[in-house]
Amino acid sequence: MLRKIAVITCMFFLYSIFCFTALSEKSIPRLTGSISWANDIGSLPATNLLLLLRCKEIYDWLCNWQDENTGLMASHEDNWASTYNNAIAAMVYLLQGDSDRAEKILDFFNNRMNETEFFVNGKAEGFYQYRDSTTGIPYTSDRWFGDNAFVLMAINYYKNKTGKTTYDNMANQIADWLISLQNADGSIGSGHTEGNLDVYSALKGHGNITQSHSIKDWLECASNRDWGNGPLDIHSWRVLSLGGEYGFCLNNTQPHKRTSTCVGSGKESTGFVAASEREGNVWIEGTAGMILAFYKAGYNTPGDYYLDEIKKCTFCSKNPKAKTLPFLGKSDTVDTWADPYKGHVASVCWYFFSLKRFNPFDGQEIGVTVKQNPIIQVQGENYVSSIGDVRHDDSGCPLEGGAVHIGGDDNISCSLVSCPNIAEYAFYSLESIPNASISVRYADDVGGEICQVYIDSQLKYTFTSVDTGTWEDYTTTTSTAIGSLSVGDHSMQIVCEDSGTWGVTIDAVNIIQ
């Protein structure tokens, strides 16, 4: 025990020489808190002391950007405060046992549960999205429901962590307002995927089970969802919000992978960008979210890898002198406001979450997890090219809202050889699968279609469809062993004949272990 304390004390001393010689332009008096790093030292094995140091150094930067008057966090070493950033900062403080700091943030919002903000002419409208961190005056009229959902998540975590009911009324009012935005199909508001993942977790954590289940049902099968090729965070947040059983979607994130230099530290780092079409510039917040999603889904190896990669981007902030992380690794032509030489609250918070393996969506630390089947799920509608009679279909309730119809609609018989109908795909496997099996989810109102599945140009599976009832009734074939599948990129072709019926609608191909 004494040796551990001596080692960590030496680390903190050396760290202070390089990164805490002085507080420059901004020095905010610290609030009284219940944080005790010494207790953490006693509870950790010696091999984890470095991990503790990582938490300590970025936590100090976070504390120095909380305004002593409003309690709000400035997002980017400025006066710009985000409702979302403050909600996740409150969770970081709670996670570390610093309840006083968390309460300062929650008190700010609780004091605006009236006509000054949350209510307008007696009607709930939610909290503003952005404001001045020193005055609390809103910068915008936007009241994004996703950010308000994060405030509810923070309150849910506060109550579970402290046992206090201080903010119960605020939680109830936010939940009621979010529920008032629910549409007949179960979605919230405009049907924004990311925002609905937020609200699902917030309402579930608050105990609104019926409403949250309706959101999940909509997320599962509503058409025009952007799961396959959408932005990075709908993949990571899908796993963190809905559960580790959705880990198969993380295989879709490889087009977002980039390596670039973090100019603040001067080191090259590999991580992820917000959208696959973006230039090579690591998005720190998004990469940290991916780390947690990897852990949640049982992919510890990539989780640990990217955790070390983010560490490369930490640097000593000039204001104040403390370790921090930027929003992006370097200057960007899209997010021109993001200064790579300044720390950002969201980056620091999500890095802290990933170090602690804490999931803000359910307020739980991620323990030992295992990968769940399917390991890979190739969605029928996401074909990259096709030959013959192939078209998109969204009949019934296909997974992720879409499917592919393969085969003619004219009941003319035609063999695989004479006129094949082919849908071609590309997919990625995060890890090797030594004993893989395959199954297909499909619908057919007649039956009799012969379909073949090729992986990397090798025939792996053949099945003949049965009558599933109607085009809205899906069934899944029996899993069949296909041998091993290596890590990396793969191709797949689904080939179906016209056998005198009206084709077959294929929802997804599942690969399990």
Side-chain angles (χ1 to χ4, degrees):
M1 174 65 181
L2 292 176
R3 288 186 63 186
K4 287 198 289 182
I5 294 178
V7 170
I8 199 67
T9 301
C10 180
M11 287 180 172
F12 285 165
F13 175 72
L14 293 173
Y15 161 69
S16 67
I17 292 176
F18 291 103
C19 218
F20 263 129
T21 54
L23 295 180
S24 55
E25 301 170 26
K26 190 177 182 72
S27 181
I28 300 172
R30 293 181 180 276
L31 304 172
T32 301
S34 57
I35 178 173
S36 174
W37 296 97
N39 289 340
D40 283 349
I41 294 172
S43 65
L44 285 174
T47 53
N48 284 353
L49 291 179
L50 182 58
L51 182 65
L52 175 63
L53 178 58
R54 289 191 192 182
C55 293
K56 172 70 168 65
E57 60 190 15
I58 63 169
Y59 189 84
D60 284 333
W61 178 89
L62 195 68
C63 289
N64 277 285
W65 280 97
Q66 185 173 23
D67 190 273
E68 64 175 337
N69 296 315
T70 63
L72 294 175
M73 305 297 305
S75 295
H76 200 33
E77 298 189 9
D78 51 20
N79 292 335
W80 192 277
S82 155
T83 296
Y84 159 74
N85 286 345
N86 274 272
I88 59 176
M91 285 191 268
V92 168
Y93 291 139
L94 288 166
L95 181 59
Q96 196 52 49
D98 208 344
S99 58
D100 287 349
R101 287 188 176 276
E103 288 169 357
K104 287 285 285 186
I105 294 174
L106 296 177
D107 284 346
F108 174 87
F109 291 104
N110 199 32
N111 291 334
R112 282 154 181 77
M113 289 298 299
N114 48 45
E115 288 288 339
T116 62
E117 183 164 337
F118 193 84
F119 292 93
V120 177
N121 297 324
K123 181 182 178 182
E125 296 289 350
F127 294 116
Y128 289 112
Q129 190 169 18
Y130 302 109
R131 67 187 73 243
D132 189 297
S133 62
T134 62
T135 66
I137 297 174
Y139 280 144
T140 176
S141 60
D142 292 339
R143 300 169 186 259
W144 172 232
F145 64 80
D147 289 4
N148 281 264
F150 266 94
V151 176
L152 180 53
M153 286 185 229
I155 300 171
N156 293 340
Y157 182 47
Y158 176 87
K159 185 173 183 178
N160 291 335
K161 182 82 170 179
T162 68
K164 298 179 181 179
T165 59
T166 309
Y167 306 108
D168 275 9
N169 178 65
M170 177 163 59
N172 294 337
Q173 296 285 1
I174 295 173
D176 288 346
W177 174 61
L178 292 173
I179 292 171
S180 75
L181 303 177
Q182 192 157 35
N183 303 306
D185 61 3
S187 66
I188 300 294
S190 59
H192 187 273
T193 303
E194 176 190 316
N196 274 265
L197 289 169
D198 303 341
V199 178
Y200 166 77
S201 288
L203 292 181
K204 181 182 179 183
H206 186 254
N208 303 105
I209 304 303
T210 300
Q211 293 84 357
S212 61
H213 281 179
S214 294
I215 297 172
K216 186 176 182 180
D217 290 343
W218 174 80
L219 286 166
E220 286 279 10
C221 64
S223 60
N224 300 319
R225 297 273 55 74
D226 48 1
W227 293 123
N229 303 306
L232 180 72
D233 50 6
I234 70 167
H235 301 291
S236 56
W237 287 16
R238 185 183 188 184
V239 174
L240 295 174
S241 177
L242 301 182
E245 62 268 30
Y246 292 84
F248 59 81
C249 74
L250 299 177
N251 292 290
N252 297 330
T253 61
Q254 286 306 298
H256 298 77
K257 183 179 176 180
R258 299 286 190 280
T259 298
S260 65
T261 299
C262 289
V263 297
S265 65
K267 297 179 180 179
E268 190 174 75
S269 175
T270 299
F272 296 88
V273 294
S276 58
E277 64 271 14
R278 292 286 293 271
E279 60 186 80
N281 195 359
V282 174
W283 177 31
I284 308 300
E285 173 195 1
T287 300
M290 282 293 298
I291 293 168
L292 283 172
F294 283 134
Y295 288 151
K296 182 73 173 178
Y299 289 100
N300 291 315
T301 298
D304 290 343
Y305 170 77
Y306 289 109
L307 188 63
D308 287 338
E309 289 298 301
I310 285 187
K311 175 65 171 61
K312 296 176 182 178
C313 294
T314 58
F315 66 98
C316 289
S317 170
K318 297 178 180 178
N319 189 23
K321 296 269 185 176
K323 278 290 187 76
T324 189
L325 284 160
F327 182 75
L328 297 172
K330 60 184 180 181
S331 296
D332 195 285
T333 57
V334 178
D335 294 310
T336 55
W337 55 269
D339 187 337
Y341 294 99
K342 290 183 177 181
H344 194 273
V345 166
S347 300
V348 169
C349 287
W350 278 93
Y351 180 50
F352 196 90
F353 291 153
S354 63
L355 288 170
K356 292 280 192 173
R357 292 175 67 112
F358 173 80
N359 181 3
F361 282 86
D362 62 12
Q364 301 291 324
E365 294 187 35
I366 300 170
V368 178
T369 57
V370 295
K371 293 184 287 293
Q372 299 185 50
N373 287 319
I375 304 300
I376 296 170
Q377 187 174 90
V378 180
Q379 293 295 322
E381 69 274 19
N382 292 334
Y383 55 92
V384 295
S385 62
S386 64
I387 298 172
D389 291 317
V390 176
R391 59 176 172 78
H392 181 271
D393 193 357
D394 57 7
S395 301
C397 186
L399 302 175
E400 299 193 3
V404 61
H405 189 88
I406 303 179
D409 293 316
D410 51 12
N411 81 335
I412 297 175
S413 182
C414 186
S415 69
L416 287 169
V417 176
S418 59
C419 51
N421 303 294
I422 305 173
E424 299 182 324
Y425 301 82
F427 69 93
Y428 187 88
S429 180
L430 284 166
E431 294 183 355
S432 61
I433 306 175
N435 298 297
S437 294
I438 192 171
S439 64
V440 179
R441 186 174 190 262
Y442 71 93
D444 191 340
D445 73 337
V446 176
E449 291 286 334
I450 299 174
C451 294
Q452 299 174 332
V453 180
Y454 291 79
I455 296 179
D456 299 329
S457 301
Q458 294 185 353
L459 178 61
K460 294 291 186 179
Y461 186 47
T462 300
F463 72 96
T464 301
S465 67
V466 299
D467 184 350
T468 63
T470 72
W471 290 116
E472 308 209 347
D473 301 314
Y474 286 86
T475 191
T476 302
T477 64
T478 302
S479 295
T480 299
I482 60 171
S484 63
L485 192 70
S486 63
V487 62
D489 293 304
H490 297 275
S491 64
M492 184 177 78
Q493 297 82 35
I494 303 176
V495 186
C496 297
E497 70 174 11
D498 282 332
S499 56
T501 65
W502 285 270
V504 61
T505 296
I506 294 180
D507 177 21
V509 176
N510 294 318
I511 298 176
I512 66 174
Q513 64 177 3

